[in-house]
Amino acid sequence: MEQYKKEFIEFMVDCGVLKFGDFVTKSGRKTPFFINTGFYRTGSQLRKLGEYYARAINEKFGLDFDLLFGPAYKGIPLSVATSMAVSEHYNKDVRYCSNRKEIKDHGDKGILLGSPINDGDRIIIIEDVTTAGTSIKETMPILKSQGDVNVLGLVVSVDRMERGQGTKSALKEIEETYKISTTAIVTMAEVVEHLYNKPYKDKIIIDDKLKEAIDKYYQQYGPKNL
């Protein structure tokens, strides 16, 4: 595993973004782990987060794109931080854009904030995590309604590596349904590999009991055909 992936896993732990316990996901699944990017709360944290996203994007897609789209609400700071990181570290100026939950009818009207979306734009969608692929269903129609755009792909911070609506993984379903590429900074398999029975700051974060709970979760919600 590349060093920056290990650093990102520890960064999530330090920020309280990666948590273990008993949670329920947006899709209604009871899960022993949860990723909440709402816990990135400082300027320095967002700066580092944008750098990790920028690296993942560059490795998967390169820099030949025009716009980062972050679905409201959590995608808004992600698109801002990552567009800044792409500019700073790769000397490439890309635009950012997000949607509003409610269409604004005065002043800066419309459903978008940030950059407008133009015909021919090559777009990368940036999200925190994808569990069952529910949010992408809302995002794609918004983008397609803005013009003749080319959605290159989706980048998330953590690939939860579980089924979407059917038997395949959520990211695989998204790739096949929308004909786009997907990538993640890290996968849950890499998280488990790095933290299982290995002390971090004098603490074992994933012990045998938690590992068993994670394994059971994947027995129930893992993709049936990897």
Side-chain angles (χ1 to χ4, degrees), residues 141-158:
I142 293 171
L143 295 176
K144 294 296 185 181
S145 71
Q146 299 301 312
D148 183 18
V149 299
N150 180 13
V151 180
L152 302 177
L154 166 70
V155 57
V156 298
S157 60
V158 181

Side-chain angles (χ1 to χ4, degrees), residues 1 9 158-161 186-195 218:
M1 190 191 316
I9 293 167
V158 181
D159 178 1
R160 287 182 59 103
M161 302 178 64
V186 294
T187 66
M188 270 308 295
E190 289 169 331
V191 170
V192 173
E193 175 191 340
H194 185 56
L195 296 179
Y218 281 113

